[in-house]
């Protein structure tokens, strides 16, 4: 939500055409939730990592090349993000198989849903406060820390206060 003020702050308004790219690229941080090779590395299964890379790399290159030619830089970025998402989804089956747990135990769906709800709440509050500020940079500098506070207080409340400490 803050891509425009961030681009203005870091790169000046001359680079505003980069705002849509930052919005899409920010999605990559969601992919870090699912590491694609952590279990294989822990097991020392370099063969799986190599085979997966040898299959995904040519598909990624071809997809990005095609998307760049057809839709330009934004197409290439979306193809790259799609590849990152695909490799992580593909690796879930491997990880679940070796950890021998169902998906709902493997992925902390309840915690992820709670965190998504907190981020959505903080986003809504930030958007509701946007008309109060005449300058997008001021809006960012005020509501950015507010967003962070809402999110971290929510994390503390839902995850740490609700835990029972039986020592």
């Amino acid at each position: 939500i803050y891509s425009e003020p961030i681009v203005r702050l870091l790169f000046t308004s001359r680079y505003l055409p980069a705002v849509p790219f930052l919005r899409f690229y920010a999605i990559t941080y969601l992919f870090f939730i699912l590491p694609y090779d952590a279990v294989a590395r822990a097991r020392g299964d370099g063969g799986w990592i190599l085979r997966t890379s040898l299959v995904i790399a040519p598909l990624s290159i071809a997809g990005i090349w095609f998307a760049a030619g057809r839709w330009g830089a934004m197409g290439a970025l979306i193809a790259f993000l799609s590849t990152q998402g695909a490799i992580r989804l593909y690796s879930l089956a491997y990880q679940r198989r070796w950890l021998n747990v169902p998906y709902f135990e493997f992925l902390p769906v309840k915690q992820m849903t709670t965190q998504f709800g907190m981020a959505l709440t903080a986003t809504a509050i930030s958007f509701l406060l946007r008309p109060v500020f005449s300058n997008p940079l001021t809006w960012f500098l005020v509501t950015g820390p507010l967003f962070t506070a809402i999110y971290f207080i929510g994390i503390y409340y839902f995850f740490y206060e609700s835990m029972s400490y039986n020592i």
Side-chain angles (χ1 to χ4, degrees), residues 60 62-68 73-85:
S60 174
I64 291 170
W65 177 77
F66 173 77
M74 185 58 76
L77 178 59
I78 292 172
F80 169 75
L81 293 174
S82 299
T83 302
Q84 290 297 308

Side-chain angles (χ1 to χ4, degrees), residues 114-127 147 151:
T114 302
Q115 290 178 6
F116 177 75
M118 285 185 288
L120 199 59
T121 301
T123 299
I125 291 170
S126 294
F127 272 128
F147 181 101
Y151 184 78

Side-chain angles (χ1 to χ4, degrees), residues 5-6 23 48 62 70 74 81 86 88 109 120 124 126 153-154 160:
I6 288 172
R23 285 184 182 147
W48 182 86
R70 180 110 169 123
M74 185 58 76
L81 293 174
R88 281 163 169 75
V109 176
L120 199 59
S126 294
I153 289 169
Y160 295 108

Side-chain angles (χ1 to χ4, degrees), residues 47-135:
W48 182 86
I49 296 170
L50 179 63
R51 282 189 308 278
T52 302
S53 297
L54 289 175
V55 168
I56 295 292
L59 293 174
S60 174
I61 292 168
I64 291 170
W65 177 77
F66 173 77
R70 180 110 169 123
W71 298 290
M74 185 58 76
L77 178 59
I78 292 172
F80 169 75
L81 293 174
S82 299
T83 302
Q84 290 297 308
I87 194 170
R88 281 163 169 75
L89 290 175
Y90 173 72
S91 70
L92 281 178
Y94 174 87
Q95 294 173 24
R96 190 186 68 77
R97 180 173 21 117
W98 284 105
L99 295 174
N100 198 25
V101 294
Y103 282 116
F104 286 108
E105 286 183 34
F106 181 70
L107 293 174
V109 176
K110 180 181 176 187
Q111 290 86 353
M112 290 167 62
T113 305
T114 302
Q115 290 178 6
F116 177 75
M118 285 185 288
L120 199 59
T121 301
T123 299
I125 291 170
S126 294
F127 272 128
L128 288 173
L129 291 175
R130 192 170 192 166
V132 173
F133 300 95
S134 60
N135 183 344

Side-chain angles (χ1 to χ4, degrees), residues 6-71:
I6 288 172
V7 169
R8 281 184 194 273
L9 181 65
L10 296 178
F11 306 110
T12 72
S13 59
R14 181 176 173 189
Y15 291 92
L16 284 179
V19 168
F21 293 94
L22 180 59
R23 285 184 182 147
F24 273 96
Y25 187 75
I27 294 170
T28 59
Y29 293 103
L30 291 175
F31 294 144
F32 293 145
I33 294 170
L34 304 171
Y36 75 93
D37 64 350
V39 173
R41 285 177 190 262
R43 293 188 63 251
D45 192 356
W48 182 86
I49 296 170
L50 179 63
R51 282 189 308 278
T52 302
S53 297
L54 289 175
V55 168
I56 295 292
L59 293 174
S60 174
I61 292 168
I64 291 170
W65 177 77
F66 173 77
R70 180 110 169 123
W71 298 290

